[in-house]
Amino acid sequence: MIEFAMPALGSDMDEGTLNEWLVKPGDTVTRGQVVAVVETTKAAVEVECWHDGTVEELLVPVGQTVSVSTPLARLLESVEAAPQSATTEHAAEPAAARPAAEPAAARPVAEPAAARPVAEPAHRRWVSPAARRLAASLGVDLDGITGSGPQGAVTIADVEHAAAQVSEPSPQPAAEQRGVAMRRSIAAAMGRSKREIPHYYLSDEIMLDTALRWLTERNAACSVTERVLPAALYIKAVGIAARRFDDLNGFWVDDEFRAAGGVHVGVAISLRGGGLVAPALHDVPDKKLDALMTDLADLVARARAGTLRSSEMSDPTITVTNLGDRSVDSVYGIIYPPQVALVGFGKQAQRVCAVDGGIRIATTMHATLAADHRASDGHRGAMFLAAINEILQHPEQLEK
């Protein structure tokens, strides 16, 4: 018997609302299958099941808000489900066909489940949490809105468009209401991080002329939809370096460091209504550059529409924040617990540099590292940043 519980979809999540069940009692589920949709303060998240088995009972009805780790459903593992299935088939045989010596205990296995009331799955439309709150504050009926987000999800823009066709409400109270819950969640997570994690910070200036020249030549031979942004280069460089320095790629749990099995880079994404999320791009070092760019664009779109998967919210092993597009020279981030490192990238800018004994104008970028002193020290952190720098000097290797 396995209890499937409300997952922690990020360090800033304490509770979630069950928005939709995608399975029912008796259904067979496999590892990685999406079985429910949970609403947090930041997004409607597709929750995956990480066990093979059969759904025995749904414990939480649609619409209920429960704390992290609260059991949502009970599963029978495959080895448990098989005898029950055999008994059910046997029970369907005519009485005359059954052996007279059949044990009495063999028949009533399925009876308790049949007698026990089970919460049937109910379908609710996918609506981002911010959009749901905005619709409630503006008195907009969600049933009359056609969603424009991924998989038909209703977004903030959809609600605002519907509201504008009915009246002209003042957006300020709604905007304030949307932001309060998210700001509280972010504040709680970052406050915990600064209290518990002994941060240290390092910075390195990376010359980008070689990488940008190579990227320009590469993109010139591609269609617009196949072009790769510099951000994809940065993320893959971080992923490759993190694989080499496993003490910066993992988690601090129960007063000890646990190295991650893979490299799943969390990407800090600003949301249109304010706030941010940092879902994961999985197995970054193993992705080809064009596939990584496709996954990055999809992740950003779904994050801003409020439709992410639980593995994307709970799996990041190291996080990247890129504020270069906001003309920031450097960003010194706060680590997302239980991770132990965060890499920041500032803007690309032409600067005066000393190169090979001479002085010239070069395009450079400041890369920063915030790391947990319990898991690593400045020497390792400096080597990690140097590895990112070195990787970006050979961009053609990132194509693989």
Side-chain angles (χ1 to χ4, degrees), residues 135-285:
S137 65
L138 298 179
V140 174
D141 183 7
L142 290 172
D143 291 335
I145 299 178
T146 300
S148 62
Q151 301 182 47
V154 177
T155 67
I156 292 174
D158 297 328
V159 175
E160 291 175 340
H161 179 70
Q165 294 179 338
V166 178
S167 60
E168 296 183 358
S170 172
Q172 187 61 30
E176 291 178 355
Q177 184 177 5
R178 284 201 308 269
V180 167
M182 183 173 293
R183 295 307 335 162
R184 286 177 177 170
S185 296
I186 294 173
M190 296 301 95
R192 172 192 166 197
S193 176
K194 293 299 284 185
R195 286 193 308 271
E196 298 180 2
I197 299 177
H199 287 64
Y200 70 86
Y201 293 95
L202 301 174
S203 176
D204 190 20
E205 187 173 19
I206 299 177
M207 295 188 64
L208 294 176
D209 289 338
T210 300
L212 295 179
R213 184 167 52 250
W214 175 85
L215 190 59
T216 299
E217 293 172 356
R218 179 200 181 281
N219 285 340
C222 301
S223 65
V224 173
T225 57
E226 295 174 331
R227 291 175 183 172
V228 170
L229 297 177
L233 292 182
Y234 306 158
I235 291 170
K236 185 158 185 182
V238 170
I240 293 173
R243 174 177 280 175
R244 299 177 188 172
F245 294 82
D246 58 1
D247 49 348
L248 292 162
N249 182 63
F251 313 99
W252 189 265
V253 181
D254 296 332
D255 288 330
E256 65 177 6
F257 174 71
R258 299 179 185 176
V263 180
H264 311 311
V265 179
V267 181
I269 301 172
S270 61
L271 304 179
R272 294 190 180 94
L276 79 160
V277 292
L281 288 167
H282 291 115
D283 302 310
V284 167

Side-chain angles (χ1 to χ4, degrees), residues 21-22 41 75 77 86-87 179 291 322:
W21 277 115
L22 302 178
T41 57
L75 306 179
E77 293 186 89
T87 301
N322 180 12

Side-chain angles (χ1 to χ4, degrees), residues 351-362:
R351 298 180 175 94
V352 178
C353 301
V355 181
D356 298 329
I359 295 177
R360 70 179 177 90
I361 303 295

